[in-house]
Amino acid sequence: MANDEFRFGVLGPVQVRWTRQPVELGARQQALLAVLLVHMNKPVPASEIIDAVWGEQPPRHARNALQTNVSRLRQALRSGLGASEGMLVAAGAGYVLNGGPAQLDSALFTRHLAMARDHHRLGDPGAAVARVDAALALWRGEPFEGLEGAPIEAERQRLRELRLDAVCLRAQLSLDQQAPAEAVAQLVPLVNTHPLQEHPRLLLMLALYRAGRRADALASFRDARRTLADELGIDPGPALQELHGRILRDDPELRVTESAGPFPPVLGAAAADDVPAEVTGRQRLGRAVKELAAAVLHQWTVEAQTRSLHRPEPVCVRWSSTGRPVAAAASAVLGGEGRHGQPERLDLRGDLADVVTALRRLPARQLVVLGEPGAGKTVLAILLTLGLLGDPQPGEPTPVLLPLSSWDPHREHLHSWLARKLVEEYPGLDHAAAYGPDAAVRLVTEGRVLPVLDGLDEMPPALHSVAIDALDQAMSGGRPLVVTCRGTEYEKAVHHGGAILARAAVVEIDPVGVEDAVDFLTARLPPGDTRWQPVVNELRGHPQGALAQALSTPLMVDLARTAYATPSADPAELTNTGRFPDRAAVENHLLDAFLPAVYAQRPAPPNPDRRPVPSPRYRPDQARRWLAFQARHLNALHTSDLAWWHLDRALPPAVRGLALGLPAALMFTVTGVLAGGPLVGLVYGASYGLAGWVANGWGRRPGPARVEARFRGTAARFSRRFAVGLVVAGGLGLGWSIPTDLFLCLAAVFGLGLGAHVWLDVPTDVQRISSPPVVLRQERRSALAFVLSFAVSLGLAFTMAFTYGTELHHVTFDVRLALSAALASALLGRFLFRRLGAVAYGLAGIALGGTAIHQAPDLAHGLLAGTAFAVAVGTSVGVSRAWGAFAVTRIWLALQGHAPVRLMLFLEDAHRRGVLRQTGAVYQFRHARLQRRLADEPPATTTGP
């Protein structure tokens, strides 16, 4: 009989069924089976089984009794159902029950429910109903009925919450299909069973109202208010109160069925431009929560695929409660006292598949994950984020994975930093019309997000202890939090600062075991390939040797498999103890071998945007030289974030000022020559060349603009900008005595030039996730708009002044004209580089405006000079923006051999190859060890690409 012909039923009494016929088990065997089912496919220590089966009064010979019950259970599985010998087996000091998801009712239930949610989200209510009904049909009473123990109770509570979700989803589907009476029948028993749960109560009130039972809907609210006050001393939440008010007003919109997803606010998500005025900020925030969850899920699913985390699976990573003196007492973490008033010993353990369950079982849902470099902390954080999003629980905050390296707790509160990072990563959150004002701040302060903060150790060491204390203060009151850090650095910070996370469990990633390393290294070998056998023999024969120590982290195991992936590579060289006498030698060799292996020629993957994908060809020595330069650049900035808009900081200030200021200075020189000859050209070029050198070398340019074209709702802001343009044009027109009709034309151009900037607004969709290429495209669009508006406006002003101005040539230096030009130039400089730019460009404007020039002999000559001036201004504006500075800097670096001309294409390719990882809008090296190794190389002397 095949294994898939019987199932374990746990959505009710624990039993084993073949089709519909249950197999009788004794009470002890049921308890034993329950414990093994909770940990299916994972070894369970005998001591844990004994505690769960017999509680505080185990028999005298408990292990013998356990063996007897295991034997009886195994016999029942084998004789009654034809189970294989390998289903229930001994594993170390315990036992493991092996099986597939199809054999477990609770797993089938979860799968049906997840698929129902997907169908609902995709607009297929019929398929969603079929799936959720199939899930509920598996329910046969109280889970694990008659059994006790902490693990059983935790699993029982989890299954109860899943059933509540399923019934709520079924009721929502009935509402969507305009069957409110059916929804009422489903919800009344649920509300009676869970009187303190507000979500089913909200659905019941809405269903009653749509069924024509308005009085009953209002009575249900009164019952909820009375129950919450009596039991918890609180009022109903804002959603219930809002729905109550709308029912009192007999709001006609409530009678319309609106599909809002499986866990709705009452209103569905409307397009940003069509959000009715009645929709409150809380409803908009609810929309932001749902769309943020979808965005985070998509972002890290793609990144997990890029990192090949499921190819076929990551290195087996196990973790357990840390033995370091850095964690709070178990009673503080668990929110209570242990037996006999003594704190319990907190003993958490598991692997990557268990971390979601472990986090949810913690009352405060606060977890610190420690590990040595390369231990897999980031991978664990990614899979934890995806696990939480893949099986969301009602009311659970949305996990958002962020690197901690940019936070300075001395200068910025954690909540302020989180809100700022949310807007940077998901810029649509800043769109007030779609999500309400300050949506990111509200998401953080109202506890709607679960921060998964990766890499506390990547902050400056002086901030580690301060950061821990700031985290504990900001997340007090039981707010959920996950933090990763290297174990040694975290222990030093706790010892130095004396602060800990008072409600957080602290676990530490264990070293990779020899057998786990062997399994990973040989998992993808074709039949007959024995290249790894010498390595396997060395690892098993010398488990404490240099090679085994080096391959004790997932990073190094993965690097080893990558470095020797090709059939021609021979991993047996790793066993040469003369060449690799210690762990460091092995690790450095694997780091050095990584780039040549990944830069072997391979085709590019298809592009989901259906745009042509270039297939770059980079030699390993080229790639290593360019990546080493970037690594040294990041080390100099004391960061791991490779942000393309900071590339200009790779140049010394004086060199940066020269590289970025020289192009505009040359165009100003050309303008001066056309306007007044070589001497005027020298004045123009020198004044604006000096201003550009100072401003670009030591000024502070803005970061990239995350914008898209948007015209609706911008009339008021456009009018204000247009008025500012008129004022600036007025000052120039009066100063240069431009004729009235031409002055009006100039004023209109200035007004349009400044007003057009408001048509660049933040995205309206939070699911448009930031990535380096996306941010570059958005910034390029913004920069070109600024370049065009300033170039046209000021170029036209210069053309008119040069051709028709009547106050240009009476004296050698005109103070009045100099001040007029200085004002306009200073305003431009302040816009570009703030205070330093205002001073530098204001002084340059004095030199330009006050210098006497000859009037243009004809309009053609005036247009030529004006065009040159427009190009000069446009160049100045362009290099002041993040995109312009990046464009010029990458060419400068390419000429020196430090980077390819198409640098962004190279970085995207490095990300696809796994050399870089993407975190929002920035890249990072795959691991800090790789960054440091490359940065230690001496700079290349070769020039040219």
Side-chain angles (χ1 to χ4, degrees):
M1 184 176 296
N3 286 346
D4 59 357
E5 293 181 14
F6 61 87
R7 293 210 303 268
F8 301 103
V10 295
L11 298 178
V14 178
Q15 55 183 291
V16 189
R17 294 192 308 275
W18 173 55
T19 62
R20 298 287 178 177
Q21 301 301 319
V23 173
E24 295 296 332
L25 296 174
R28 297 300 183 194
Q29 286 104 56
Q30 287 191 33
L32 170 62
L33 178 59
V35 176
L36 295 173
L37 287 174
V38 170
H39 302 282
M40 195 170 188
N41 296 317
K42 301 181 182 67
V44 185
S47 58
E48 183 175 335
I49 299 175
I50 292 170
D51 287 343
V53 174
W54 284 280
E56 297 185 8
Q57 297 179 340
R60 182 175 181 182
H61 301 290
R63 289 188 178 272
N64 292 337
L66 174 60
Q67 292 174 0
T68 300
N69 281 277
V70 168
S71 178
R72 291 174 180 172
L73 178 58
R74 186 184 289 124
Q75 182 179 0
L77 294 175
R78 190 167 54 241
S79 61
L81 301 170
S84 65
E85 293 287 342
M87 173 160 281
L88 176 55
V89 296
Y95 297 91
V96 60
L97 180 68
N98 296 307
Q103 293 177 267
L104 192 59
D105 276 359
S106 60
L108 284 174
F109 182 92
T110 303
R111 182 182 178 189
H112 284 311
L113 184 56
M115 296 182 72
R117 290 168 176 161
D118 290 340
H119 288 308
H120 190 205
R121 187 163 47 247
L122 295 173
D124 189 351
V129 168
R131 283 293 181 178
V132 76
D133 285 348
L136 291 171
L138 294 169
W139 202 273
R140 291 179 173 81
E142 185 70 6
F144 301 103
E145 185 176 356
L147 302 180
E148 303 297 335
I152 299 298
E153 183 58 35
E155 184 68 7
R156 179 186 291 128
Q157 185 59 34
R158 184 184 75 86
L159 295 174
R160 285 172 179 165
E161 293 177 357
L162 279 177
R163 183 176 185 276
L164 187 148
D165 295 350
V167 176
C168 286
L169 173 56
R170 185 64 180 86
Q172 178 66 58
L173 290 166
S174 297
L175 286 172
D176 291 348
Q177 294 179 319
Q178 302 185 29
E182 182 179 332
V184 170
Q186 295 157 353
L187 289 165
V188 167
L190 193 66
V191 170
N192 292 336
T193 307
H194 303 278
L196 301 180
Q197 290 281 350
E198 296 193 21
H199 181 214
R201 179 82 66 168
L202 183 145
L203 289 174
L204 176 60
M205 290 172 58
L206 182 59
L208 289 168
Y209 181 78
R210 288 183 179 172
R213 299 167 59 181
R214 183 184 179 205
D216 289 339
L218 295 173
S220 180
F221 175 80
R222 290 194 297 271
D223 180 65
R225 181 168 55 191
R226 181 175 56 254
T227 302
L228 290 171
D230 292 344
E231 297 292 334
L232 303 177
I234 61 175
D235 292 327
L240 274 179
Q241 294 190 38
E242 179 193 347
L243 180 59
H244 176 249
R246 295 179 68 184
I247 293 174
L248 285 173
R249 297 194 306 271
D250 202 15
D251 188 340
E253 287 190 0
L254 288 182
R255 299 186 183 278
V256 180
T257 300
E258 297 161 323
S259 180
F263 300 105
V266 177
L267 291 180
D273 292 334
D274 301 322
V275 177
E278 293 83 2
V279 178
T280 65
R282 183 163 295 279
Q283 291 168 331
R284 289 174 176 167
L285 195 66
R287 176 190 174 194
V289 170
K290 291 194 299 181
E291 297 188 2
L292 175 63
V296 176
L297 178 61
H298 173 74
Q299 173 188 6
W300 291 107
T301 298
V302 172
E303 186 65 14
Q305 293 171 350
T306 302
R307 300 188 190 196
S308 300
L309 296 187
H310 305 293
R311 191 178 170 217
E313 60 184 12
V315 182
C316 183
V317 172
R318 293 183 172 86
W319 49 267
S320 57
S321 295
T322 184
R324 300 175 188 267
V326 295
S331 57
V333 175
L334 298 177
E337 294 294 321
R339 298 172 184 169
H340 310 296
Q342 298 298 322
E344 298 176 347
R345 182 179 67 88
L346 193 60
D347 185 15
L348 303 176
R349 60 185 65 250
D351 56 25
L352 290 175
D354 302 317
V355 67
V356 172
T357 302
L359 177 67
R360 284 174 171 161
R361 287 178 176 173
L362 297 172
R365 297 196 178 185
Q366 293 187 5
L367 182 68
V368 178
V369 180
L370 306 180
E372 65 173 298
K377 300 182 292 297
T378 299
V379 169
L380 185 147
I382 292 174
L383 296 180
L384 169 62
T385 301
L386 292 176
L388 291 169
L389 291 169
D391 181 25
Q393 303 296 310
E396 188 172 70
T398 299
V400 181
L401 175 56
L402 298 169
L404 256 179
S405 56
S406 63
W407 179 40
D408 184 347
H410 283 306
R411 299 185 178 183
E412 198 169 17
H413 191 276
L414 177 68
H415 292 170
S416 301
W417 176 80
L418 285 173
R420 178 170 61 82
K421 292 295 293 183
L422 283 176
V423 171
E424 289 180 2
E425 303 293 324
Y426 314 97
L429 286 175
D430 209 24
H431 201 284
Y435 306 109
D438 300 320
V441 174
R442 293 175 63 199
L443 287 175
V444 173
T445 57
E446 294 182 17
R448 300 290 194 97
V449 296
L450 190 166
V452 181
L453 306 179
D454 185 31
L456 185 143
D457 54 277
E458 294 181 4
M459 302 171 65
L463 297 180
H464 290 174
S465 58
V466 180
I468 294 173
D469 186 50
L471 285 169
D472 189 54
Q473 291 184 20
M475 307 309 286
S476 60
R479 286 175 176 251
L481 172 71
V482 177
V483 180
T484 74
C485 185
R486 294 181 183 178
T488 302
E489 281 76 359
Y490 194 82
E491 185 174 5
K492 288 180 180 178
V494 169
H495 178 73
H496 176 72
I500 61 173
L501 293 176
R503 296 293 307 279
V506 183
V507 300
E508 190 156 7
I509 297 177
D510 301 330
V512 175
V514 166
E515 292 306 319
D516 291 329
V518 168
D519 290 345
F520 185 80
L521 292 173
T522 59
R524 292 165 54 197
L525 292 180
D529 189 340
T530 60
R531 292 181 302 122
W532 284 98
Q533 194 58 46
V535 173
V536 172
N537 295 338
E538 173 68 18
L539 292 175
R540 289 172 173 167
H542 302 86
Q544 301 301 322
L547 182 58
Q549 291 180 28
L551 298 183
S552 64
T553 65
L555 172 66
M556 289 299 161
V557 177
D558 190 64
L559 289 181
R561 190 169 77 173
T562 302
Y564 296 97
T566 60
S568 60
D570 185 11
E573 65 180 357
L574 294 173
T575 63
N576 186 339
T577 56
R579 182 179 175 188
F580 304 113
D582 53 29
R583 175 176 182 171
V586 177
E587 291 179 344
N588 288 337
H589 168 72
L590 294 176
L591 289 168
D592 292 339
F594 175 59
L595 292 183
V598 298
Y599 277 96
Q601 300 300 332
R602 64 182 67 178
N607 192 315
D609 296 333
R610 297 186 179 180
R611 293 177 299 166
V613 179
S615 298
R617 295 289 185 265
Y618 303 114
R619 299 193 312 271
D621 61 314
Q622 283 180 319
R624 191 175 194 91
R625 185 170 79 246
W626 295 334
L627 290 168
F629 178 82
Q630 295 295 336
R632 289 191 293 270
H633 163 54
L634 297 183
N635 277 12
L637 296 181
H638 304 289
T639 183
S640 59
D641 294 342
L642 179 50
W644 59 260
W645 58 92
H646 290 161
L647 183 66
D648 61 300
R649 299 184 186 179
L651 305 177
V655 176
R656 180 168 65 242
L658 177 64
L660 300 179
L662 184 59
L666 293 176
M667 290 309 305
F668 276 113
T669 302
V670 172
T671 303
V673 171
L674 293 172
L679 183 59
V680 175
L682 180 62
V683 172
Y684 280 24
S687 58
Y688 275 91
L690 181 60
W693 179 68
V694 172
N696 284 285
W698 290 271
R700 183 180 176 185
R701 62 174 42 81
R706 295 167 169 85
V707 296
E708 62 182 15
R710 180 173 171 81
F711 301 97
R712 190 167 183 173
T714 60
R717 288 184 294 149
F718 177 84
S719 300
R720 291 193 294 270
R721 289 287 189 95
F722 189 87
V724 173
L726 293 180
V727 172
V728 175
L732 291 174
L734 293 175
W736 295 77
S737 301
I738 296 175
T740 303
D741 54 345
L742 296 178
F743 163 72
L744 293 177
C745 178
L746 177 65
V749 172
F750 259 82
L752 286 172
L754 291 182
H757 298 166
V758 304
W759 294 332
L760 294 174
D761 205 350
V762 297
T764 59
D765 185 358
V766 72
Q767 297 189 55
R768 298 186 183 181
I769 306 163
S770 290
S771 68
V774 168
V775 173
L776 180 61
R777 288 196 296 270
Q778 292 176 332
E779 163 63 15
R780 179 170 57 233
R781 186 182 301 125
S782 171
L784 292 176
F786 281 116
V787 166
L788 184 62
S789 62
F790 279 106
V792 171
S793 301
L794 294 176
L796 181 62
F798 188 88
T799 298
M800 290 182 177
F802 182 42
T803 306
Y804 301 106
T806 59
E807 298 290 342
L808 296 175
H809 324 291
H810 300 305
V811 295
T812 302
F813 187 86
D814 192 311
V815 174
R816 183 166 58 91
L817 296 181
L819 293 178
S820 176
L823 174 62
S825 189
L827 289 174
L828 173 65
R830 181 168 180 79
F831 174 78
L832 301 182
F833 292 103
R834 303 185 183 180
R835 184 178 300 176
L836 180 62
V839 174
Y841 281 96
L843 293 175
I846 292 176
L848 182 146
T851 302
I853 58 176
H854 298 290
Q855 193 168 21
D858 51 46
L859 179 59
H861 193 85
L863 286 173
L864 182 61
T867 301
F869 187 77
V871 173
V873 171
T875 303
S876 297
V877 173
V879 298
S880 74
R881 310 296 298 180
W883 168 74
F886 171 74
V888 173
T889 303
R890 65 184 175 88
I891 294 175
W892 185 282
L893 294 176
L895 293 174
Q896 295 180 305
H898 295 318
V901 174
R902 303 185 69 182
L903 177 58
M904 187 56 71
L905 180 64
F906 171 70
L907 297 179
E908 290 182 67
D909 178 74
H911 176 228
R912 282 194 298 268
R913 295 176 189 269
V915 179
L916 301 178
R917 62 190 185 192
Q918 181 182 312
T919 304
V922 302
Y923 290 122
Q924 296 175 337
F925 278 93
R926 172 181 178 155
H927 195 273
R929 291 283 303 275
L930 180 61
Q931 176 180 325
R932 288 198 300 271
R933 182 66 178 172
L934 289 170
D936 289 341
E937 294 186 1
T941 56
T942 306
T943 59

